[in-house]
Amino acid sequence: MSAPSEPRPRPAVAAGTFYPAEAHRLRAAVDRLLASGGAPIGDPPPAVIVPHAGYRYSGPVAASAYRLLRAAGDRVRRVALLGPAHFVPLGGAAVPGSPAWDTPIGTAAIDPVLREVAAGAGAVIDDGPHEPEHALEVQLPFLMRLLGAGTTFLPVAVGRAGAEVVAGLVEALWGEVDLVVVSTDLSHYLDVHAARLRDRRTADAVLARRAEAIGPEDACGLFALRGIVQLARVRDLPIRLLDLRTSADTLGDPDRVVGYGAFAVGA
C-alpha cells in the first residue's frame, strides 16, 4: 500500500493575467512600482488596505501602501492577508490547508500556527475558496520583494460575515502577526465621475471608522474591509488615506471604471 502523497503548493492562478508570469518581468514590475513616490515616513503600519486588480490598473495604488514597508527589514516575519472570495460562495472565513502558495518569484510558505489561530477563531480550513482567487495572490509578489525569505503568510478568504465577527478574527491574529493586509477594490463599473463620488464617500467612512456606512456596492472586499475598520474603531487605531484613484486614472475606459484605495491602519 502506497503512502499518502504530501500536500502540494497551490499553483499561481493570476500569473500572466493580473501580473507577469515570467519571474524577471514580475520582479522588474514590482520593483518599478515600489520605487516610485517618496521615501516612507515613520514606522511601518501594523495593517494596510490595498486593491487587487491587474498591476497595470491598481499597481500604483497598492504600491503607495507597500512602500511604507521598505524600511521594515526583519520586523515583519508573519503576515495575515484578508480578502474576498469572488468565485466560491462563502459564509464566514476560510484559510488554506495547503502548505504553500507558488508564485513566479518563489514559494510563499503558509504559517501553520496562524492557521490554527484562525481556525480557533472560527475560520474553516478549506482550499476551495482560494483555488480560483486572485485577490490575495496578487499581494504576494509585493510582499516577497519587500520582506525576508523567512516570512510566512496566512491567506484568509472572507465571505458573508458581520463586521464584529471579522474584527474578532483579526483580533485573534493581531498579536501573532507583524502585518495585516486587507485586499479590496472599491466601486465597480460606474462612469469615472460617479465612481469618484462613491469612492470618496467610502474612503470617508473608512477614515471615520464607520464600518456600517460601507455598503455592498462600495467594495468587493466588503466584509474584510468592514472587519478591519471595526477593529480600528474598537482599538482606537488611526486610519490614513494614502491614495484614491480609479482605473481611468491609470489605464482604463472612463465610462466603466473600478475604484481603488490604499490606507494605512494604526500609523
Side-chain angles (χ1 to χ4, degrees):
M1 182 176 179
S2 60
S5 59
E6 290 292 323
R8 302 185 65 179
R10 169 194 182 272
V13 298
T17 52
F18 284 78
Y19 60 81
E22 300 82 6
H24 71 283
R25 289 185 58 224
L26 178 54
R27 292 190 192 97
V30 171
D31 292 350
R32 185 168 56 251
L33 289 165
L34 292 172
S36 61
I41 299 173
D43 292 330
V48 294
I49 300 166
V50 291
H52 55 234
Y55 284 7
R56 58 180 179 165
Y57 297 107
S58 69
V61 180
S64 70
Y66 285 126
R67 279 195 294 272
L68 301 178
L69 305 178
R70 284 191 301 202
D74 291 336
R75 285 180 287 174
V76 178
R77 308 302 290 165
R78 305 170 94 184
V79 181
L81 305 100
L82 291 86
H86 286 100
F87 309 108
V88 176
L90 177 65
V95 295
S98 61
W101 283 16
D102 281 336
T103 80
I105 59 173
T107 299
I110 303 303
D111 192 300
V113 174
L114 295 182
R115 176 166 48 213
E116 293 307 313
V117 170
V124 298
I125 299 175
D126 184 0
D127 288 305
H130 294 281
E131 287 175 357
E133 184 58 56
H134 62 276
L136 301 181
E137 179 187 319
V138 299
Q139 313 305 334
L140 292 175
F142 283 103
L143 293 163
M144 294 171 76
R145 291 299 286 166
L146 284 164
L147 306 178
T151 304
T152 56
F153 302 90
L154 182 71
V156 185
V158 182
R160 184 170 295 279
E164 294 82 3
V165 172
V166 180
L169 173 59
V170 182
E171 179 76 60
L173 292 166
W174 193 262
E176 304 290 337
V177 301
D178 305 303
L179 177 68
V180 173
V181 176
V182 171
S183 171
T184 185
D185 293 339
L186 300 179
S187 63
H188 281 58
Y189 311 135
L190 302 174
D191 67 78
V192 66
H193 177 69
R196 285 173 179 161
L197 289 174
R198 182 183 290 259
D199 294 342
R200 184 69 251 186
R201 288 197 304 269
T202 303
D204 288 343
V206 171
L207 296 175
R209 300 178 298 186
R210 295 179 59 232
E212 71 281 0
I214 306 169
E217 302 301 319
D218 296 335
C220 62
L222 171 68
F223 301 107
L225 179 60
R226 283 178 174 169
I228 192 67
V229 169
Q230 177 68 18
L231 182 65
R233 184 173 182 173
V234 170
R235 280 183 160 261
D236 196 24
L237 302 172
I239 302 180
R240 178 162 51 104
L241 178 64
L242 303 171
D243 201 351
L244 187 66
R245 286 190 255 177
T246 74
S247 53
D249 298 312
T250 51
L251 195 65
D253 179 356
D255 294 326
R256 196 169 184 266
V257 307
V258 177
Y260 312 124
F263 303 82
V265 181

